[in-house]
Amino acid sequence: QKAQAAASAQEELEAMERQQQKLKWQREIFKDDRKRLAQQMQTIQRAQDELKQMRDYKHAATLRAARVIGCTTSGVVMNQDLLSEAGAEVLMLEEAAEIMEPLVLTSLSDKCKHVIMIGDHKQLRPKAEHYPLTVESGSGHNLNESLFERLAKTIEVATLSTQWRMHPEIALIPKLITYPTLLNAPRTEQPPPEFAPIKGIQNDFLGDGRVVFIDHREPEDVRDALASSQGEAVSKTNKYELEMVVAVVRYLCQQGYNPSNLVVLTPYLGQLLKLQEALSADWTVLVGDLDFAEAKQHLDDVAGFNVGGAAATGEQCVRVATIDNYQGEEADIP
């Protein structure tokens, strides 16, 4: 047995030596190839830099001649040198209450003289992935507090007094909660026929059923949530509301509504995943690009998800979305 063990150890040693010798020969054989590859990569990089400079020179001339330049805040960060050449003296930020303060600061150039911010700090804040860094966590970091919101607490802001998009019954909700002086534009008093009250719905509180509140006392599912790496719950689910939503969607379809007229909104990604699974038993369920991207971070298999617009699929789809990612879109019956 000792002899066998010694022979086995000798074989392992010889195999290791052979492997080391093989690697040594490989390094020697490919030494010149690696050197040539590095030189070629440097040549390619120099050519790419020169090409970029030529393109930037052309684009800079175009930008300097433009009266208005439009881009995203991410686009500003990626093209700071180019935009600096344009010498814009006025920066206007739209939806400024949803832009994190660092992105606002990186959008400023040394030639900027005026900053105009348009937004609403009483609506959604910027989106922060890590909950402990948010205002809502109470930790004091306040990463998702925009510069717009911070300034609005200390200086006077101008507020639009008239809304042009909602029926007065719907506008009554933000008026009672957030905007007590809100006025309705005349055209909202007489909406077109396609915006008639929802069929089959009656509501004693707000008139003809354009807004319906359903109250219940069923608690959220116990710890049935997506969790962050630190263990904080970042998403929630509610089985009772899930079954209620499926029943309401089925009832509205029975009233003659096309599934593509509907959108189901939820504050939580966890509930969205449950909704997608439950609704897909009877309908094609559509998930937006942003929600799909977030779902992929938590699911191994998202092959059953339909992503994109209903028109692109050619199917009658029920859209499900989180409130944060649906903002700016619209539906007949949300």
Side-chain angles (χ1 to χ4, degrees), residues 114-309:
H114 304 279
V115 178
I116 301 171
M117 292 191 287
I118 303 172
D120 189 344
H121 61 291
K122 296 182 180 180
Q123 296 186 20
L124 291 177
R125 288 190 171 100
K127 193 170 184 180
E129 297 294 338
H130 192 52
Y131 180 76
L133 298 180
T134 64
V135 175
E136 294 78 9
S137 69
S139 61
H141 296 292
N142 300 348
L143 179 65
N144 65 334
E145 181 180 40
S146 64
L147 178 63
F148 186 96
E149 180 180 358
R150 192 159 62 83
L151 292 176
K153 294 177 180 178
T154 59
I155 63 177
E156 185 178 355
V157 295
T159 304
L160 298 178
S161 59
T162 305
Q163 66 87 18
W164 294 77
R165 59 171 59 181
M166 294 177 283
H167 187 277
E169 288 186 14
I170 301 175
L172 182 59
I173 298 173
K175 182 172 183 176
L176 291 174
I177 298 174
T178 310
Y179 310 103
T181 61
L182 185 65
L183 302 176
N184 299 310
R187 76 178 186 186
T188 64
E189 305 284 350
Q190 297 179 338
E194 59 267 28
F195 297 121
I198 302 174
K199 293 180 288 187
I201 298 294
Q202 181 178 356
N203 185 17
D204 296 333
F205 176 64
L206 287 175
D208 59 15
R210 294 179 188 273
V211 179
V212 178
F213 291 99
I214 302 176
D215 186 31
H216 71 83
R217 295 292 186 270
E218 299 296 327
E220 297 164 345
D221 301 336
V222 178
R223 301 304 297 175
D224 185 7
L226 302 173
S228 69
S229 57
Q230 285 73 29
E232 301 92 353
V234 295
S235 193
K236 300 178 182 179
T237 62
N238 188 301
K239 187 174 184 293
Y240 181 84
E241 289 186 4
L242 179 68
E243 295 172 349
M244 183 191 303
V245 168
V246 174
V248 170
V249 171
R250 182 176 294 112
Y251 175 75
L252 291 174
C253 290
Q254 291 171 347
Q255 306 308 307
Y257 290 106
N258 190 307
S260 60
N261 296 132
L262 313 177
V263 60
V264 179
L265 301 179
T266 174
Y268 303 111
L269 180 62
Q271 187 75 343
L272 179 140
L273 301 178
K274 298 283 187 180
L275 286 166
Q276 191 277 337
E277 180 181 2
L279 291 169
S280 61
D282 296 308
W283 301 277
T284 300
V285 181
L286 196 68
V287 177
D289 293 334
L290 293 175
D291 286 322
F292 178 75
E294 293 184 10
K296 285 182 67 176
Q297 298 178 8
H298 302 282
L299 290 180
D300 295 329
D301 181 15
V302 290
F305 281 36
N306 287 278
V307 186

Side-chain angles (χ1 to χ4, degrees), residues 79-88 109-111:
N79 298 280
Q80 277 187 327
D81 294 339
L82 180 60
L83 291 170
S84 179
E85 288 292 323
S109 72
D110 56 354
K111 299 180 179 64

